[in-house]
Amino acid sequence: MDELVSLCKRRGFIFQSSEIYGGLQGLYDYGPLGVELKNNLKAAWWRAMVYERDDVEGLDAAILTHNKVLRYSGHEATFTDPLVDCRTCKSRWRADHLTEQKCPKCGGTDLTEPRPFNLMFKTTVGPVDDANSYAYLRPETAQAIFTNFRHVLDSTSRKLPFGIAQIGKAFRNEITPRNFIFRVREFEQMELEFFVAPGTDEEWHQRWVEERLDWWARQGVDPNNLQLYRVPADELAHYSKATFDVMYRFPHGVEELEGIANRTDFDLGSHTKNQAEYNLTAKVLANTDSNAKLAMQDPDTKAWQVPYVIEPSAGVDRGVLAVLNESYRVEQLDNGTERTVLGFEPHLAPIKVAVLPLKRNHDGIMAKAKEIKQTLQALGIGRMLFEDTGNIGKGYRRHDEVGTPLCVTVDFDTIEKDDTVTVRDRDTMKQQRVAVAELTDYVKDYFK
Ligand code: ATP
């Protein structure tokens, strides 16, 4: 983990947030390469969930959330972790994370009894701070999918089964944020709420578990480093009938990367008007005063029913950490030196191709390299980089370390002799001459 954290800072992937003022615990900022990696991971999820399927719509809802949404969803009452205080050094811990009844900081055994600590961040909306003007920073993106269910249905005429996908920020006031970007207070989630007819939920749950394991493998995550964990009944979230956690072998241990829950008819049932009219199987926590009918008509029996929902919910930041961990390798080379490589899948690499001019103060070479960079950029594959640091060997090493799959070097032969460039491959380190006229096809083929 230390090596990854240091590489991430040195090469501009991830920085501690507000570091110049001592940092704020549990918050990180993504730098020039981190933002590309994160965007690429999110784009891969969106492609797989929305574009490549014919049964999912997208959504991008507000982060600030009406207090009633999180009241009727059950989060006000139950979204808590057990908190204990160490009376000796005054530090605070999550009771369920302590391996023994001892303070991990000072070793003291004088701990308070665990008490529930609500993880939601509360804030005031508007200039008047009264009892009803508060809102929450959403603790999961899912609720806005449920509250927009009717709008999406009415505007798209979807029939069951269908899903609504959303990627966005979520906030949890974690008691002990730790392990770099694994457990943070502000993070992003990629969530799909997949609505199905009651009775077909268990089958869909299985299907989504398989789909999601397959997707992680396509992001370069070795299936041997993934495990499925069936959450025991007494640890299930209040909305869940069954949950499978996709566990990943992170540098600090095996922990949850994604949760795939069968949320039954709990959520739509909690927010629908006239709850009593439906045979809800889930026990809702309160009678909502919402004005929306979150039910659909069975096409055969014409009876109104509240759909069940299967939810694959993945953390973007945990995904970035997993992908970084999977890609990181240090290779011993024949000449006795070593190189560090981030062997990202090409679609995830922050920089796709780096174009390097052999000489920085040679007008012809510089102009040609810039032109090639712009031509490659227009392919729409991702970020191409023009980099005129001059030392090609060092450039290759630097790009190995940030996972750039291809480097293109423009030299004297390019402009004086045969209009070819050197293309150097990150993984094989092989170099070959490619005609500039064929370069776009070469690059397109590589990233296909
Ligand atoms: P944990 O048990 O690790 O606290 P959780 O079960 O509360 O996680 P979920 O509510 O299932 O998490 O959230 C779905 C996903 O959101 C998780 O699988 C994880 O990838 C991500 N996630 C949740 N909490 C955090 C956090 N504090 N920091 C980063 N990612 C998080």
Side-chain angles (χ1 to χ4, degrees):
M1 182 74 106
D2 290 346
E3 284 172 46
L4 273 184
V5 174
S6 140
L7 185 146
C8 282
K9 183 174 178 185
R10 191 158 32 86
R11 291 297 186 207
F13 281 91
I14 299 164
F15 311 124
Q16 157 105 72
S17 195
S18 307
E19 198 192 51
I20 64 166
Y21 290 108
L24 206 48
Q25 227 202 335
L27 298 172
Y28 287 90
D29 299 334
Y30 286 76
L33 296 183
V35 62
E36 299 292 342
L37 174 60
K38 198 182 189 197
N39 282 344
N40 291 342
L41 188 68
K42 290 191 283 184
W45 187 89
W46 196 261
R47 262 198 313 274
M49 290 301 194
V50 185
Y51 297 165
E52 288 170 9
R53 300 184 62 94
D54 297 312
D55 53 6
V56 174
E57 302 286 350
L59 184 77
D60 181 22
I63 287 171
L64 285 175
T65 306
H66 197 299
N67 55 48
K68 282 190 180 176
V69 172
L70 291 154
R71 180 171 321 144
Y72 294 116
S73 71
H75 285 79
E76 269 192 349
T78 64
F79 198 63
T80 57
D81 276 338
L83 170 80
V84 291
D85 287 283
C86 168
R87 292 198 181 90
T88 315
C89 71
K90 309 288 178 230
S91 59
R92 298 189 136 175
W93 305 96
R94 244 178 88 166
D96 55 330
H97 282 172
L98 297 181
T99 43
E100 40 188 349
Q101 281 310 303
K102 223 183 201 181
C103 169
K105 192 170 168 199
C106 72
T109 51
D110 190 8
L111 305 177
T112 61
E113 281 299 305
R115 60 186 188 285
F117 171 75
N118 196 297
L119 299 180
M120 290 196 293
F121 285 97
K122 208 172 187 180
T123 190
T124 305
V125 176
V128 183
D129 185 0
D130 63 28
N132 292 317
S133 62
Y134 70 98
Y136 293 105
L137 300 187
R138 63 185 179 196
E140 59 174 15
T141 73
Q143 289 307 318
I145 295 181
F146 303 129
T147 57
N148 279 294
F149 179 78
R150 188 83 248 158
H151 295 311
V152 174
L153 207 55
D154 291 347
S155 55
T156 61
S157 313
R158 284 284 178 186
K159 304 271 177 293
L160 292 179
F162 79 99
I164 304 178
Q166 180 169 220
I167 300 178
K169 291 269 185 176
F171 301 81
R172 296 182 188 180
N173 197 4
E174 295 281 354
I175 297 168
T176 40
R178 57 187 175 167
N179 296 321
F180 194 32
I181 51 172
F182 175 81
R183 184 174 302 287
V184 283
R185 290 183 167 133
E186 173 174 342
F187 54 98
E188 276 186 274
Q189 290 182 315
M190 307 183 279
E191 294 198 303
L192 173 72
E193 304 305 323
F194 197 78
F195 301 99
V196 302
T200 64
D201 51 309
E202 289 180 10
E203 185 193 328
W204 274 107
H205 198 185
Q206 277 303 331
R207 274 164 82 164
W208 274 112
V209 168
E210 282 155 32
E211 291 269 345
R212 296 303 302 146
L213 289 172
D214 187 55
W215 184 84
W216 282 113
R218 281 185 274 138
Q219 311 318 306
V221 176
D222 182 349
N224 292 318
N225 289 334
L226 292 172
Q227 292 171 18
L228 258 193
Y229 171 72
R230 191 182 180 124
V231 179
D234 59 344
E235 288 175 25
L236 287 172
H238 63 277
Y239 50 70
S240 173
K241 162 177 159 185
T243 298
F244 290 100
D245 284 346
V246 178
M247 311 291 279
Y248 171 71
R249 194 184 307 279
F250 285 99
H252 62 275
V254 178
E255 288 214 59
E256 179 181 332
L257 171 64
E258 168 163 357
I260 306 168
N262 181 344
R263 296 179 74 134
T264 70
D265 53 7
F266 178 84
D267 298 279
L268 291 180
S270 295
H271 293 302
T272 190
K273 69 176 179 184
N274 305 331
Q275 287 159 325
E277 287 178 15
Y278 311 106
N279 286 326
L280 293 177
T281 52
K283 195 171 168 339
V284 298
L285 299 174
N287 291 326
T288 174
D289 55 2
S290 117
N291 60 19
K293 180 172 186 168
L294 305 181
M296 293 173 80
Q297 220 167 2
D298 182 299
D300 300 324
T301 65
K302 304 292 173 215
W304 286 89
Q305 59 186 14
V306 173
Y308 264 47
V309 65
I310 305 300
E311 176 199 65
S313 170
V316 177
D317 310 77
R318 288 186 190 181
V320 167
L321 184 56
V323 163
L324 279 166
N325 187 45
E326 288 287 320
S327 314
Y328 180 81
R329 59 177 194 260
V330 179
E331 288 176 5
Q332 305 301 324
L333 303 178
D334 291 343
N335 63 7
T337 61
E338 58 177 38
R339 67 168 189 149
T340 302
V341 187
L342 283 177
F344 295 126
E345 290 294 310
H347 70 281
L348 295 179
I351 298 165
K352 306 300 182 199
V353 182
V355 185
L356 315 170
L358 182 72
K359 271 207 153 324
R360 351 166 42 163
N361 42 16
H362 188 289
D363 291 348
I365 290 179
M366 291 287 275
K368 186 74 181 176
K370 280 190 180 159
E371 185 193 316
I372 289 173
K373 184 261 165 175
Q374 289 304 352
T375 306
L376 295 180
Q377 192 58 61
L379 296 176
I381 291 170
R383 185 170 184 203
M384 306 290 169
L385 188 77
F386 166 82
E387 192 176 73
D388 59 344
T389 47
N391 186 327
I392 300 300
K394 277 194 185 158
Y396 289 163
R397 286 288 179 278
R398 200 170 42 249
H399 281 288
D400 287 344
E401 208 183 6
V402 300
T404 307
L406 299 177
C407 287
V408 168
T409 301
V410 180
D411 57 20
F412 288 101
D413 281 359
T414 318
I415 57 162
E416 288 171 2
K417 207 168 131 200
D418 54 9
D419 207 29
T420 62
V421 288
T422 300
V423 177
R424 191 262 191 185
D425 184 291
R426 174 194 71 198
D427 296 320
T428 62
M429 291 191 282
K430 291 228 168 71
Q431 304 184 15
Q432 69 181 107
R433 292 301 282 191
V434 175
V436 171
E438 283 159 22
L439 189 62
T440 52
D441 281 345
Y442 183 99
V443 169
K444 270 201 278 190
D445 258 16
Y446 183 95
F447 286 97
K448 199 143 65 182

